[in-house]
């Protein structure tokens, strides 16, 4: 692979992910470690990227500076009754004593009040969820390493050494900006790599979305529909939307049914 091809691949990964690890580049590029380092040094000198520990990020006030979504408290008020019902239904899927991952979000947050007494092992990247679960004496809590994004009080890391490699969960509970034929979508590139790492640590993916998420769009694909095991939503889902999910082998749970 010529230098121009390597540069194009490095920049393509950065534009889609916001960050690329040195390990990822070593697996993608047909080049030695020394060559990859020189490529990063050259692109940094040209102002195309910034080298950081473990890899590189886009130059400037890039996606690893801020999240594009609404602040947690603002988003929490949207579709609040539906989110409360969805959270309750999702919590009912947890089995006593099992290990689960609860991804940060205003819908997954609604699970917390229904988990007391189950003595779960919970890994979460959300400080809001941690604070909500702390009073539950039997709930054991873990969090990954990373940077705290204040708008959502969420911990995200682009690095490989965030502690997740030693964790395994029966279920991952995750929200989304949108769900459609392309799969589970997010509006923020920062979330993609972090959420894909969570996917690799769980046996089953449970997606919590209010029905409006089937009629919105977002730019970045976290996973395709085949990777989703269960969708928990509200009664606003249409027959066509439910049929789309079921055609891909997804169990659809309508909260309140």
């Amino acid at each position: 692979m010529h230098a121009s091809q390597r540069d194009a691949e490095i920049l393509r990964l950065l534009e889609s992910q916001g960050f690329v690890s040195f390990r990822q580049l070593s697996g993608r590029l047909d080049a030695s470690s020394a060559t990859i380092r020189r490529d990063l040094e050259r692109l940094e000198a040209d102002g195309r990227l910034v080298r950081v520990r473990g890899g590189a990020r886009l130059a400037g006030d890039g996606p690893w500076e801020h999240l594009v979504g609404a602040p947690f408290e603002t988003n929490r008020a949207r579709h609040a009754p539906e989110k409360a019902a969805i959270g309750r239904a999702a919590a009912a899927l947890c089995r006593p004593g099992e290990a689960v991952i609860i991804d940060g979000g205003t819908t997954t947050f609604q699970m917390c009040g229904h988990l007391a007494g189950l003595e779960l092992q919970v890994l979460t990247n959300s400080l809001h969820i941690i604070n909500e679960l702390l009073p539950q004496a039997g709930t054991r809590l873990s969090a990954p390493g990373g940077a705290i994004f204040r708008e959502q009080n969420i911990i995200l890391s682009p690095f490989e050494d965030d502690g997740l490699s030693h964790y395994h969960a029966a279920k991952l509970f995750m929200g989304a900006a949108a769900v459609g034929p392309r799969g589970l979508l997010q509006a923020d590139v920062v979330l993609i790599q972090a959420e894909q790492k969570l996917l690799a640590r769980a046996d089953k993916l449970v997606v919590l979305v209010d029905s409006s998420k089937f009629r919105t769009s977002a730019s970045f694909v976290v996973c395709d529909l085949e990777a989703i095991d269960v969708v928990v939503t509200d009664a606003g889902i249409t027959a066509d939307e439910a049929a789309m999910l079921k055609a891909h082998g997804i169990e659809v749970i309508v909260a309140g049914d």
Side-chain angles (χ1 to χ4, degrees), residues 10-62:
I10 291 169
L11 293 172
R12 184 190 69 79
L13 289 169
L14 284 172
E15 287 168 0
S16 65
Q17 300 176 180
F19 169 88
V20 64
S21 69
F22 192 84
R23 182 182 300 180
Q24 186 178 12
L25 290 176
S26 296
R28 290 291 191 98
L29 304 177
D30 183 19
S32 67
S33 297
T35 297
I36 294 172
R37 288 191 181 93
R38 287 194 295 270
D39 289 341
L40 295 180
E41 289 171 358
R42 182 179 65 258
L43 289 169
E44 184 176 47
D46 291 341
R48 308 293 297 278
L49 57 78
V50 176
R51 288 182 297 157
V52 296
R53 185 172 69 89
R57 66 168 176 83
L58 285 174
D61 188 20

Side-chain angles (χ1 to χ4, degrees), residues 1-8 39 42:
M1 185 180 290
H2 296 298
S4 60
Q5 294 173 306
R6 294 196 305 274
D7 289 356
D39 289 341
R42 182 179 65 258

